[in-house]
Amino acid sequence: MSSNFIVVADYKRHSFALRLDFNLQRSTHDTPAGSKDVSSTNDVYNLLSTYAEKLMNDTRETILRSLLEPTTEFRYHNYDLMVQKLKDLNAKYPNITSLYTIGKSTENRDLWVIIISDQPLIHEPGEPEVKYIGNMHGDESVGRECLILLIEYLCMNYEKSEYITQLVNNVRIHIMPTMNPDGFEYEYKQSQHGQGLGR
């Protein structure tokens, strides 16, 4: 396949253009260690797309019934409970999770993120990475709890559901349940919702 592109740049008030012509050819070399074969990757994404289609039609109920769900009673997690839940899930599923912090909040709380993937500590070439962030505003707590449940849901169903297993094996998922733990803690202690400064 023959291609070309032109780069136009401005450097220290001097404009210039560069034309690059090149030919793409199929490699005859072995796939480097750690990288994924494109054809097998495409097969996986086709499989995941097929599941997405099934979830939108009449086979949806069959698929949903086959998935495990967290059995613990729903509750709102304050900061300490949330951190303990993330650490417990990381300890229970160490092969597919990794827990890290991206820094501290204004009130010095760690901002925790959990990675879910078959190789959570490796950036695999060609593997997409997605990030979910919840609770940006302290008084918006539903997203925070949904992400905590999503983490548990993905971990529980790994190697039990083909769809979840393929998803975890082929996508590196970063989940940050709360970006605003200080605001949540403030709102969590209020007797009336929406009256505080948690936002």
Side-chain angles (χ1 to χ4, degrees), residues 20 22 36 41 56 68 73 81 90 115 125 128 133 138 140 145 159 163 171 173 185 189-190:
L20 179 62
F22 57 94
K36 293 188 176 199
T41 300
M56 291 186 270
L68 301 173
E73 185 176 320
L81 290 173
N90 181 230
I115 301 172
I133 299 174
E140 296 171 354
E145 296 306 318
E159 295 187 335
Y163 175 63
V171 179
I173 305 165
E185 289 302 300
K189 295 172 185 166
Q190 300 303 309

Side-chain angles (χ1 to χ4, degrees), residues 79-126:
Y79 181 77
D80 292 333
L81 290 173
M82 181 200 71
V83 171
Q84 191 57 54
K85 180 76 168 181
L86 294 176
K87 288 181 177 181
D88 289 348
L89 289 168
N90 181 230
K92 188 172 182 180
Y93 303 99
N95 295 334
I96 60 167
T97 64
S98 179
L99 195 57
Y100 68 98
T101 177
I102 62 165
K104 300 263 186 200
S105 70
T106 303
E107 296 179 5
N108 212 35
R109 291 181 178 93
D110 282 312
L111 301 172
W112 291 101
V113 179
I114 193 166
I115 301 172
I116 302 172
S117 184
D118 63 331
Q119 298 185 65
L121 296 175
I122 298 174
H123 292 278
E124 297 178 67

Side-chain angles (χ1 to χ4, degrees), residues 112-170:
W112 291 101
V113 179
I114 193 166
I115 301 172
I116 302 172
S117 184
D118 63 331
Q119 298 185 65
L121 296 175
I122 298 174
H123 292 278
E124 297 178 67
E127 182 173 85
E129 299 199 28
V130 296
K131 172 176 54 177
Y132 294 95
I133 299 174
N135 196 209
M136 289 186 190
H137 298 123
D139 61 349
E140 296 171 354
S141 54
V142 174
R144 170 187 178 121
E145 296 306 318
C146 286
L147 290 179
I148 293 169
L149 287 171
L150 177 62
I151 294 164
E152 189 170 8
Y153 180 81
L154 291 172
C155 291
M156 287 175 64
N157 284 286
Y158 183 71
E159 295 187 335
K160 293 178 179 62
S161 160
E162 181 187 22
Y163 175 63
I164 299 297
T165 302
Q166 290 295 336
L167 184 67
V168 170
N169 285 348
N170 293 283

Side-chain angles (χ1 to χ4, degrees), residues 1-32:
M1 170 190 279
S2 178
S3 278
N4 62 58
F5 66 90
I6 297 174
V7 177
V8 179
D10 185 34
Y11 178 71
K12 294 186 178 179
R13 295 189 214 159
H14 298 292
S15 295
F16 62 93
L18 172 69
R19 178 180 169 151
L20 179 62
D21 296 312
F22 57 94
N23 291 318
L24 296 175
Q25 298 176 353
R26 184 176 298 276
S27 172
T28 57
H29 302 294
D30 292 334
T31 305

